């Protein structure tokens, strides 16, 4: 019998996993001891309403927040998994590979430069995958006429770019990246013809770029968002015309989609756009797998689709595998990364940890999703087929696409005017009325982080996912390079996750009662209740210093054995944190930058995001507004970021808690140190002095920059 070659393999890293588990055991004993110490001493106050009793209660709340957040996080450390793939072992012919629909999302040309969006579209068209099995859609939720024009121009350029990439085996298939330092290896001289063709291609790319920019700047074509509009669907490139051409010059299906938007109708942001695109693509190509890309994340590895298929085609995984997630990697991260924009903890630790349980979070971009997973549960007969109109709406063409016997719309099938007209109806506001779209079907509308929450619900239904972190990034994006950009993004994430954690669909009550595994529920609780960290930080940044000012203590005296427990707890926490940074290609400096950024964000963006979620829950305003990250990079801000200098322009209210807590700790430290100097008695206040001095040491230099910036402003 011929041995079947494996498509993928997974390994549990050792000895780090054993060390993680040993640390969990030791640290949990320390945490239980601290809880006992705090609670038992709380009842020893003669006057429970005194300032000192209140301070003790608040610091107890802060420490309990830290401990609960740590407890939830242990799910991510129990069984981390690292995976590798072998696309060369895919045995089926290219003609038998499953089709893929690529969905690129954009919303605002002012914040998402159109030329960069088109670079993402072109990189998707250039994937090393059978052209007749590939369709690329741009969902323009801004309805900007300039985006449509740019897409037509991008298609013309792609007819030159794709053959060039295929002819010379180019790996960096995003043209902007190819002509940057990212493409240095690909631009190595191969032969004289290559040099000449590359020069010609560069001129054509610059011409394409100038045409698009000139059309917008001159006002020839409207470059603004059109907020109130009808749906518009246009096929930019039709595959049926590609039969007679050779493999080098073949082009995939390329479609522009702008759904209907009306002032008086809820549009559900990216989730609504994604669901509209699912329906439109369902009657045009209906690929069983979907690659989702944010407009600023271009394809950097042309074989990423084949790598994803190493999981989707594996019979041991495929039956209940919903998606394959790739990490978000950024090409503009500086060496110091003062804001921790690469979020190493998520993509290097948490996602690997979840992969060893039920799979990583659906992360918004860079994932290959099984279309069927958005419609049903694994191993369950499609119950919706008995009443499909109730679930999916009344479009007969779309309902027909759900039946397995119809499946993928073949490349030789012409996309007729009837199909386009039907697609326009599917993209209207009214189509979802009375259906289950956004609830049981498609992307969820219950959270602004539509992908993350949809992935959570997929895991609740029993679906699994996998995570692949390849050596060469499969997708590259652009990270914010100033405090305002990253903080605004972080507030949005924390607020949305906290809102989900406060809803009836939270991982404690709903998750544990679903088909999700217990450890997976802990992982999601860690993410949805991450704001617990900020409450612990706020208590630690305020209560000890207030104690120094008013002369009461909240930590044990130096000679008390409990003081040693606190020292051990601090060291244990720092070592745990360092173990997640240094082994993953980091250094002590890397760890310090990440830790400092986390402390700063803990008393500003994360805290405010949590407060916003609580306020929205009480008032009932969630779902009304959404902050869109600015993808246009300011050159002056980039220079500051690369030099490791903080840029506080536009941070507004975020500066207040940073300055307030820093001043409080600095004054508290001075008063406490003065008391020790006068009385020569440090035993009762050493713990508070250490906490205040540590906070000041971490952020005081940053605050000086904030104050200096405010003076200049």
């Amino acid at each position: 019998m011929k041995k079947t070659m494996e498509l993928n393999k997974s390994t549990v890293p050792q000895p780090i996993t054993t060390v993680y588990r040993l640390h969990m055991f030791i640290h949990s004993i320390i945490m239980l001891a601290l809880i006992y110490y705090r609670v038992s001493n709380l009842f020893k106050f003669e006057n429970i309403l005194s300032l000192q009793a209140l301070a003790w209660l608040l610091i107890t709340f802060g420490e309990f927040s830290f401990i609960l957040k740590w407890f939830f996080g242990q799910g991510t450390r129990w069984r981390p998994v690292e995976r590798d793939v072998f696309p060369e072992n895919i045995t089926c012919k290219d003609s038998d590979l499953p089709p893929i629909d690529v969905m690129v999302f954009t919303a605002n040309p002012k914040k998402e430069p159109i030329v960069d969006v088109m670079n993402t579209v072109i990189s998707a068209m250039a994937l090393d995958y059978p052209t007749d099995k590939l369709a690329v859609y741009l969902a323009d939720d801004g309805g900007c006429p300039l985006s449509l024009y740019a897409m037509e121009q991008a298609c013309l350029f792609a007819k030159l770019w794709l053959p060039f990439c295929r002819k010379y085996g180019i790996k960096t298939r995003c043209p902007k990246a190819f002509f940057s330092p990212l493409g240095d290896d690909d631009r190595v001289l191969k032969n004289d013809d290559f040099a000449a063709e590359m020069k010609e291609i560069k001129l054509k790319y610059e011409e394409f770029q100038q045409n698009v920019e000139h059309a917008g700047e001159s006002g020839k074509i409207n470059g603004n968002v059109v907020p109130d509009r009808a749906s518009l669907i246009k096929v930019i490139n039709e595959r049926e015309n590609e039969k007679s051409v050779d493999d080098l010059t073949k082009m995939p299906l390329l479609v522009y989609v702008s759904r209907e938007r009306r002032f008086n109708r809820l549009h559900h942001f990216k989730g609504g756009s994604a669901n509209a695109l699912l329906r439109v693509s369902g009657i045009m190509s209906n690929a069983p797998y979907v690659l989702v890309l944010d407009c600023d994340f271009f394809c950097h590895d042309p074989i990423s689709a084949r790598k994803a298929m190493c999981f989707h085609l594996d019979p041991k995984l495929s039956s209940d595998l919903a998606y394959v997630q790739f990490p978000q990697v950024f090409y503009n991260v500086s060496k110091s990364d003062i804001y921790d924009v690469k979020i190493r903890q998520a993509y290097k630790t948490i996602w690997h940890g979840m992969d060893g349980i039920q799979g990583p979070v659906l992360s918004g971009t860079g994932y290959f999703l099984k279309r069927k997973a958005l419609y049903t549960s694994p191993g369950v007969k499609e119950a919706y087929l008995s009443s499909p109109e109730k679930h999916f709406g009344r479009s007969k063409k779309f309902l027909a696409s759900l039946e397995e016997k119809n499946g993928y719309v073949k490349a030789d099938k012409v996309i007729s005017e009837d199909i386009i007209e039907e697609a326009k109806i599917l993209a209207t506001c009214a189509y979802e009325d009375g259906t289950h779209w956004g609830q049981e079907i498609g992307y969820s509308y219950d959270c602004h982080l539509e992908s993350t929450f949809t992935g959570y619900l997929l895991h609740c239904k029993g679906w699994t996912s996998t995570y692949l972190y390849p050596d060469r990034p499969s997708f590259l994006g652009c990270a914010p390079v100033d405090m305002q950009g990253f903080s605004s993004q972080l507030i949005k994430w924390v607020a949305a996750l906290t809102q989900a954690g406060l809803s009836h669909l939270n991982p404690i009550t709903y998750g544990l009662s679903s088909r999700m595994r217990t450890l997976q529920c802990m992982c999601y609780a860690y993410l949805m209740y991450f704001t617990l960290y900020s409450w612990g930080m706020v208590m630690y940044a305020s209560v000890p210093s207030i104690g120094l000012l008013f002369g009461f203590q909240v930590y044990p005296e130096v000679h008390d054995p409990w003081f040693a427990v606190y020292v051990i707890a601090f060291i244990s926490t720092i070592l745990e944190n360092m173990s997640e940074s240094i082994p993953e290609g980091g250094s002590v400096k890397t760890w310090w930058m990440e830790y400092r950024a986390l402390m700063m964000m803990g008393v500003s963006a994360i805290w405010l995001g949590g407060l916003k979620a609580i306020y929205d829950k009480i008032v009932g305003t969630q779902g009304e507004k959404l902050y869109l990250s600015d993808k246009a990079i300011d050159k002056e801000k980039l220079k500051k970021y690369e030099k490791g200098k903080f840029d506080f322009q536009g941070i507004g209210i975020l500066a207040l808690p940073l300055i307030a807590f820093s001043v409080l700790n600095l004054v508290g430290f001075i008063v406490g140190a003065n008391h020790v100097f006068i009385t020569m008695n440090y035993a009762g206040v050493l713990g508070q002095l250490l906490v205040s001095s540590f906070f000041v040491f971490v952020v005081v230099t940053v605050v000086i920059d904030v104050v200096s910036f405010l003076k200049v402003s």
Side-chain angles (χ1 to χ4, degrees):
M1 183 187 296
K2 186 177 179 180
K3 185 178 179 181
T4 304
M5 292 185 289
E6 62 180 356
L7 294 175
N8 60 80
K9 71 173 183 179
S10 62
T11 56
V12 177
Q14 292 292 1
I16 191 67
T17 302
T18 302
V19 172
Y20 280 167
R21 294 181 181 181
L22 180 61
H23 178 267
M24 285 179 212
F25 176 72
I26 297 172
H27 198 77
S28 61
I29 294 174
I30 299 171
M31 296 300 101
L32 289 172
L34 292 182
I35 292 173
Y36 170 78
Y37 171 75
R38 284 297 177 190
V39 174
S40 62
N41 281 277
L42 182 62
F43 299 102
K44 294 181 180 179
F45 291 99
E46 294 181 2
N47 183 6
I48 197 67
L49 298 178
S50 66
L51 184 61
Q52 184 167 4
L54 177 62
W56 193 276
L57 184 64
L58 289 174
I59 205 72
T60 300
F61 168 72
E63 290 178 358
F64 184 75
S65 298
F66 279 140
I67 292 169
L68 190 57
K69 176 250 181 187
W70 174 84
F71 171 73
F72 288 144
Q74 297 320 292
T76 68
R77 295 161 61 85
W78 182 252
R79 188 180 180 272
V81 162
E82 295 176 354
R83 298 185 186 271
D84 200 2
V85 292
F86 311 101
E88 66 276 7
N89 290 347
I90 296 177
T91 55
C92 65
K93 298 178 181 178
D94 278 5
S95 58
D96 295 327
L97 284 171
I100 297 174
D101 287 344
V102 183
M103 299 181 178
V104 181
F105 293 90
T106 185
N108 189 331
K110 300 300 181 184
K111 291 191 173 186
E112 299 165 337
I114 289 182
V115 172
D116 290 350
V117 176
M118 294 308 126
N119 269 274
T120 298
V121 170
I122 293 168
S123 71
M125 295 174 70
L127 283 171
D128 181 10
Y129 207 75
T131 310
D132 60 335
K133 298 295 182 76
L134 195 65
V136 180
Y137 296 83
L138 176 67
D140 177 17
D141 220 26
C144 175
L146 185 59
S147 295
L148 175 57
Y149 170 77
M151 199 166 178
E152 293 170 337
Q153 294 297 307
C155 183
L156 294 175
F157 172 71
K159 290 182 177 180
L160 302 173
W161 175 251
L162 267 61
F164 172 74
C165 291
R166 291 165 181 162
K167 180 179 179 180
Y168 293 106
I170 302 299
K171 290 184 178 180
T172 308
R173 297 195 176 185
C174 169
K176 180 180 178 180
F178 176 79
F179 294 115
S180 77
L182 290 170
D184 284 348
D185 292 341
D186 278 317
R187 294 199 310 276
V188 173
L189 185 64
K190 294 175 172 58
N191 53 49
D192 292 339
D193 290 341
F194 172 76
E197 288 187 48
M198 182 173 66
K199 184 177 181 180
E200 182 181 352
I201 285 287
K202 186 174 183 181
L203 290 173
K204 291 294 182 182
Y205 174 70
E206 291 171 350
E207 181 183 337
F208 149 69
Q209 187 176 5
Q210 289 167 4
N211 287 343
V212 173
E213 291 175 348
H214 176 71
E217 292 169 359
S218 65
K220 177 183 175 183
I221 298 175
N222 183 8
N224 298 315
V225 169
V226 181
D228 192 77
R229 62 180 189 269
S231 56
L232 173 62
I233 316 290
K234 185 170 183 179
V235 177
I236 308 297
N237 186 73
E238 175 66 79
R239 287 181 304 195
E240 58 97 17
N241 295 324
E242 307 295 328
K243 292 179 183 177
S244 59
V245 298
D246 60 54
D247 289 340
L248 279 181
T249 56
K250 280 185 177 180
M251 293 267 288
L253 174 68
L254 185 63
V255 183
Y256 172 87
V257 178
S258 174
R259 63 172 172 147
E260 182 185 26
R261 291 277 294 263
R262 299 299 179 192
F263 288 126
N264 61 342
R265 298 296 296 259
L266 289 175
H267 51 82
H268 302 295
F269 308 105
K270 184 181 173 183
S273 180
N275 284 338
L277 191 49
L278 280 172
R279 297 191 293 271
V280 170
S281 63
I283 66 171
M284 287 189 164
S285 52
N286 200 32
Y289 298 100
V290 173
L291 166 61
V292 174
L293 295 173
D294 280 346
C295 62
D296 60 322
F297 268 84
F298 59 82
C299 301
H300 189 57
D301 184 356
I303 64 170
S304 60
R306 295 178 185 270
K307 289 181 176 180
M309 289 305 122
C310 288
F311 297 107
H312 281 302
L313 296 178
D314 186 344
K316 293 180 290 185
L317 300 173
S318 59
S319 61
D320 60 356
L321 179 63
Y323 58 89
V324 178
Q325 178 68 60
F326 288 81
Q328 293 186 20
V329 182
F330 304 100
Y331 62 81
N332 62 329
V333 175
S334 69
K335 291 182 179 179
S336 57
D337 189 21
I338 52 178
Y339 305 116
D340 189 26
V341 295
K342 60 179 175 290
I343 321 176
R344 180 196 295 268
Q345 185 191 23
Y347 299 115
K348 282 289 192 177
T349 302
I350 299 175
W351 273 223
H352 281 299
M354 296 180 74
D355 198 15
I357 309 169
Q358 204 171 337
V361 170
L362 197 62
S363 305
T365 185
Y367 59 86
F368 290 82
L369 172 70
K370 184 183 292 180
R371 187 187 291 260
K372 180 182 175 183
L374 293 173
Y375 302 153
T376 187
S377 300
V380 177
K381 185 68 178 176
E382 285 79 349
Y384 59 76
L385 292 180
S386 61
S387 56
E389 291 185 3
K390 179 181 177 182
H391 289 77
F392 295 96
R394 297 180 178 276
S395 170
K396 292 182 179 179
K397 287 185 173 63
F398 181 74
L399 294 177
S401 75
L402 299 173
E403 299 179 16
E404 193 171 344
K405 62 181 180 181
N406 291 331
Y408 180 61
V409 179
K410 294 183 179 179
D412 58 359
K413 187 171 182 179
V414 178
I415 298 178
S416 63
E417 284 300 319
D418 288 343
I419 293 291
I420 293 176
E421 289 304 312
E422 186 76 8
K424 290 179 180 178
I425 295 173
L426 289 167
T428 58
C429 299
Y431 184 81
E432 293 185 357
D433 292 349
T435 70
H436 290 182
W437 283 100
Q439 301 168 40
E440 298 175 21
I441 304 298
Y443 285 87
S444 173
Y445 296 158
D446 289 312
C447 179
H448 280 332
L449 292 180
E450 71 296 317
S451 296
T452 300
F453 197 69
T454 298
Y456 163 72
L457 294 177
L458 290 176
H459 285 139
C460 286
K461 291 179 180 179
W463 289 103
T464 63
S465 57
T466 60
Y467 183 54
L468 183 64
Y469 200 120
D471 293 333
R472 179 185 176 90
S474 293
F475 308 98
L476 281 177
C478 182
V481 295
D482 64 338
M483 189 79 162
Q484 189 272 336
F486 183 65
S487 296
S488 300
Q489 196 174 61
L490 191 58
I491 289 174
K492 179 184 76 173
W493 292 342
V494 172
L497 286 170
T498 306
Q499 285 172 0
L502 296 175
S503 73
H504 70 284
L505 297 171
N506 67 80
I508 305 300
T509 58
Y510 183 81
L512 286 173
S513 62
S514 70
R515 298 173 67 182
M516 188 187 293
R517 299 168 193 172
T518 302
L519 284 176
Q520 189 80 356
C521 289
M522 288 175 60
C523 296
Y524 275 110
Y526 177 76
L527 296 171
M528 292 186 188
Y529 304 123
F530 194 81
T531 188
L532 286 169
Y533 171 81
S534 69
W535 287 102
M537 276 302 306
V538 167
M539 294 302 109
Y540 262 56
S542 57
V543 176
S545 293
I546 293 173
L548 290 172
L549 292 174
F550 288 91
F552 58 79
Q553 66 183 76
V554 291
Y555 294 108
E557 294 187 353
V558 175
H559 59 265
D560 191 327
W562 285 106
F563 186 84
V565 176
Y566 270 92
V567 172
I568 294 170
F570 176 77
I571 294 172
S572 177
T573 301
I574 293 297
L575 289 176
E576 176 182 338
N577 202 274
M578 294 179 74
S579 72
E580 295 174 352
S581 295
I582 297 176
E584 296 293 345
S587 62
V588 174
K589 182 181 178 181
T590 302
W591 163 79
W592 175 247
M593 290 295 183
E594 293 175 357
Y595 195 78
R596 183 175 69 166
L598 182 61
M599 284 189 66
M600 288 168 52
M601 297 302 173
V603 295
S604 55
I606 299 174
W607 186 42
L608 292 175
L611 287 175
K612 180 182 183 302
I614 295 170
Y615 173 81
D616 288 345
K617 179 69 175 178
I618 296 171
V619 178
T621 58
Q622 60 206 65
E624 294 182 3
K625 293 183 179 180
L626 183 66
Y627 172 82
L628 181 65
S629 304
D630 195 339
K631 309 296 170 57
I633 299 299
D634 184 283
K635 291 182 179 179
E636 291 302 317
K637 291 183 177 182
L638 182 60
K639 286 180 181 177
K640 277 188 178 181
Y641 170 68
E642 290 175 342
K643 292 178 180 178
K645 294 183 177 180
F646 288 89
D647 188 334
F648 298 97
Q649 186 173 2
I651 65 171
I653 194 173
L654 287 170
L656 296 180
L658 273 176
I659 294 174
F661 287 128
S662 296
V663 171
L664 176 61
N665 278 268
L666 185 59
V667 173
F669 177 78
I670 293 172
V671 171
N674 183 61
H675 174 75
V676 170
F677 181 76
I678 294 172
T679 64
M680 299 304 292
N681 180 17
Y682 63 88
V685 296
L686 182 60
Q688 287 154 254
L689 282 172
L690 290 174
V691 170
S692 295
S693 63
F694 184 70
F695 188 89
V696 170
F697 178 66
V698 169
V699 299
V700 72
T701 53
V702 178
V703 172
I704 290 172
D705 287 343
V706 176
V707 175
S708 299
F709 173 80
L710 292 175
K711 284 182 178 179
V712 172
S713 300

